[in-house]
Amino acid sequence: MKFEFKNCDGVLQGTLIAPVLEGMGVPPRLVREDKEETLARAMTAQNFTGKKGEFCTVLMPTGLCVTLAGVGKPEGAVETWLQTVGGTLATVLKSVRHKEVMICTSGLSDVKVKTATAAAYLTFGLGLGAYSFDVYKTKKKETPEVELVRILSSDPEADETAFESLFAVLNGVYEARDLSSEPANMLPPAEFVEAVKALKMKNVTLKVLDKKQMQKLGMNLLLTVAQGAAEAPYLLIMEYMKGKKEDAPVVLVGKGVCFDSGGMNLKPSASLTHMKYDMSGGAAVVGTLHAVSELGLKQNVIGLVPLVENMLSDRAAHTDDVIQSMNGKTVEIANTDAEGRLILADAMWYGQETYHPQTLIDIATLTGVMKYVFGSQYAGLFTNDKGLGSALKKASDETVMDQIWELPLHPDYEKMLSSDIADLSNIGKGGDAGSATAAMFLKNFVADGVKWAHLDIASVGWLSADKPCAPKGATGFGVQLLTQYFINRENA
Ligand code: BES
Ligand code: ZN
Ligand code: ZN
């Protein structure tokens, strides 16, 4: 789908969608078009006042087909509200039977935004909501799909410029959603690497560590998870070094389990569904690096994605196995389904030894219980640094979808990870506080003085029902949040 901002002063033809604020009547640009007051009369006849969720489709005497979409009144921050409005319009878009559609935003001209423009935010939300993944559908849809969205604008240049940076983020979200939607047979670790190479990100150096190289480095936790699978593991490294040479980079680590069967602790049938998206943290890191590079931010950012499959075979890790991690600590594998923390531990350690970051952020579909805690509303945030926590919270508040909520890292959770045979167990005793003990496990692999945050996105990586700015399926959670974090850092 393409977006175009156009100054359309001539007579309007085709299909047009117009958001209408509650009680504001026909949008100004359409009043000009509405010589016979068709729209005004249709609104009255259909009792359309612009309340959120109201729709009214009208065929004008000129042949123009107008769908008025009630959007209520601005709630909360206008920037995110406008994105939600755009997301709502995306649902209208799905019922349009034309390849081109116009959007008239003049009904929102009183809505003032500080940065970018109202039309740009609306278009961003529209893009987020209009996503679909149908590469494997061989049957063409009977109705044509919208290919071009023309946003009528009084200042197309300003809107275009404002949308450029939002488009970089939108693209990153799409890439993350695409990667997470790919089934495991199509996107094992090696193919994930190939897919990232194919993105040809500007100013991003790609490096890939294979099994042999990881063996040399002692990344035994990662390799143990991978050893039951026929697919070889990789560590994908993305380096974006556009900051000052002397500035320590921010290291992002995203969980890249291309399929999580649970291993020897095999998941029950229902829990195996959608376990292809257990690499969504990794996908978010890829999307973020691409967005950051497209925005040309003057920062040093490293993205790491440990890529494995967690499978069951005669070579798979046993429960009770004791493995020495890259940082020297020994780990008892009390449950092979707690594999995410194992691959992250080695990747995080590698990231710190290699790049000496001040800030380390990991993002992972780590614990299923997040869904019980938050539904699909929030991801969990754990951090050892208040400043980093508030910076992430601030960035999160500026996004429409990527909401996070901090959970505590009480020191007593550490005791629950004790093992009779090794330095650490990979699960907490008794199974209590599953998300916090997982976070505490990771904290064991954070070097002294490093500011670290862990985002558990198991609750939000996949939706079973549509939301305005995220159709059901993979959400690309984390791209908006992390990119906004870097944008704010740039402006600080
Ligand atoms: N990938 C899962 C977590 C998950 C579950 C993500 C559901 C998305 C949806 C993770 O590797 C896992 O299996 N975690 C276990 C931890 C347990 C063994 C301590 C879990 O959540 O049950
Ligand atoms: Zn698991
Ligand atoms: Zn997993």
Side-chain angles (χ1 to χ4, degrees):
M1 189 179 293
K2 280 196 175 132
F3 304 100
E4 195 178 273
F5 297 89
K6 263 245 146 98
N7 195 334
C8 256
D9 284 334
V11 178
L12 302 175
Q13 283 297 333
T15 305
L16 180 143
I17 305 170
V20 180
L21 282 172
E22 188 173 344
M24 295 303 279
V26 179
R29 172 66 182 86
L30 295 182
V31 172
R32 255 170 52 200
E33 217 70 18
D34 196 20
K35 304 239 162 44
E36 296 169 36
E37 296 195 353
T38 317
L39 278 175
R41 283 188 287 129
M43 281 168 75
T44 315
Q46 296 187 42
N47 206 9
F48 176 99
T49 56
K51 281 199 188 70
K52 202 157 107 182
E54 284 180 355
F55 294 101
C56 167
T57 301
V58 186
L59 179 66
M60 309 279 282
T62 56
L64 177 71
C65 182
V66 176
T67 296
L68 301 171
V71 298
K73 291 178 181 151
E75 295 162 25
V78 280
E79 288 81 2
T80 48
W81 177 78
L82 283 162
Q83 293 173 47
T84 312
V85 168
T88 314
L89 298 190
T91 54
V92 185
L93 224 55
K94 284 177 188 160
S95 62
V96 168
R97 288 178 192 80
H98 297 282
K99 289 192 172 168
E100 284 185 33
V101 170
M102 290 176 287
I103 307 272
C104 167
T105 59
S106 77
L108 302 174
S109 53
D110 286 343
V111 179
K112 294 281 172 263
V113 284
K114 277 179 253 122
T115 49
T117 65
Y121 278 116
L122 179 125
T123 310
F124 179 59
L126 184 81
L128 287 172
Y131 176 84
S132 67
F133 184 80
D134 28 44
V135 282
Y136 298 116
K137 300 257 190 199
T138 58
K139 206 170 151 230
K140 279 235 152 51
K141 286 197 179 132
E142 273 154 29
T143 48
E145 279 183 60
V146 176
E147 286 167 9
L148 178 67
V149 179
R150 194 169 275 147
I151 300 103
L152 306 187
S153 171
S154 53
D155 191 349
E157 266 168 41
D159 287 336
E160 190 81 58
T161 316
F163 184 61
E164 238 168 62
S165 48
L166 292 170
F167 185 70
V169 185
L170 181 65
N171 206 36
V173 175
Y174 268 45
E175 281 165 9
R177 287 177 182 175
D178 283 350
L179 289 169
S180 301
S181 305
E182 285 289 353
N185 66 322
M186 301 309 254
L187 201 83
E191 292 305 318
F192 188 109
V193 170
E194 289 311 311
V196 175
K197 281 185 188 160
L199 297 177
K200 294 198 170 25
M201 298 187 227
K202 268 188 291 179
N203 299 313
V204 175
T205 309
L206 290 186
K207 292 178 182 164
V208 185
L209 301 187
D210 63 14
K211 188 172 153 187
K212 267 208 179 120
Q213 289 164 301
M214 292 193 278
Q215 273 166 342
K216 265 197 198 139
L217 287 160
M219 303 181 83
N220 300 319
L221 293 181
L222 191 158
L223 293 168
T224 298
V225 174
Q227 77 192 26
E231 296 291 343
Y234 293 98
L235 178 68
L236 173 68
I237 304 167
M238 294 165 281
E239 298 176 344
Y240 176 79
M241 303 294 275
K242 283 284 170 185
K244 290 193 195 107
K245 260 217 173 89
E246 64 273 21
D247 282 354
V250 174
V251 171
L252 304 178
V253 184
K255 174 175 172 181
V257 176
C258 294
F259 189 77
D260 182 11
S261 71
M264 201 68 81
N265 292 96
L266 188 64
K267 286 182 183 294
S269 297
S271 308
L272 282 164
T273 312
H274 301 323
M275 269 307 130
K276 62 174 185 177
Y277 87 94
D278 210 17
M279 30 57 72
S280 296
V285 169
V286 172
T288 303
L289 259 103
H290 204 177
V292 164
S293 75
E294 282 297 312
L295 292 169
L297 300 185
K298 301 263 174 294
Q299 296 182 49
N300 299 327
V301 185
I302 304 295
L304 300 178
V305 187
L307 290 158
V308 299
E309 272 188 359
N310 186 23
M311 296 300 280
L312 186 53
S313 75
D314 56 351
R315 289 174 302 163
H318 321 93
T319 45
D320 299 346
D321 281 357
V322 175
I323 313 292
Q324 187 162 35
S325 70
M326 187 183 175
N327 91 342
K329 286 186 188 176
T330 54
V331 177
E332 175 190 358
I333 302 190
N335 189 316
T336 59
D337 198 12
E339 85 297 340
R341 63 199 76 181
L342 300 175
I343 66 166
L344 288 171
D346 274 343
M348 282 161 58
W349 197 253
Y350 173 84
Q352 292 166 100
E353 281 221 318
T354 314
Y355 300 101
H356 309 288
Q358 279 174 352
T359 304
L360 171 70
I361 302 170
D362 77 82
I363 176 162
T365 45
L366 209 61
T367 60
V369 285
M370 290 310 288
K371 199 92 191 165
Y372 296 101
V373 180
F374 290 133
S376 60
Q377 228 51 53
Y378 294 96
L381 160 72
F382 296 87
T383 180
N384 65 0
D385 186 80
K386 276 208 166 70
L388 177 58
S390 9
L392 286 168
K393 190 77 182 62
K394 179 175 182 291
S396 158
D397 288 343
E398 286 163 334
T399 74
V400 64
M401 285 299 298
D402 292 2
Q403 301 305 303
I404 57 174
W405 200 271
E406 187 173 355
L407 294 167
L409 262 178
H410 195 282
D412 282 2
Y413 292 136
E414 179 74 52
K415 294 182 199 150
M416 293 162 75
L417 292 168
S418 69
S419 158
D420 291 337
I421 188 169
D423 297 336
L424 274 173
S425 165
N426 77 329
I427 56 166
K429 270 204 186 75
D432 285 354
S435 304
T437 49
M440 193 51 101
F441 180 89
L442 294 177
K443 190 168 176 281
N444 275 279
F445 300 88
V446 177
D448 286 344
V450 173
K451 295 173 183 169
W452 160 73
H454 159 58
L455 298 163
D456 192 336
I457 59 166
S459 45
V460 289
W462 190 271
L463 293 180
S464 49
D466 290 347
K467 288 191 181 186
C469 291
K472 69 177 182 181
T475 59
F477 190 103
V479 177
Q480 292 174 73
L481 163 65
L482 293 170
T483 310
Q484 192 61 46
Y485 163 77
F486 287 112
I487 293 173
N488 293 350
R489 214 168 160 260
E490 186 96 350
N491 299 332

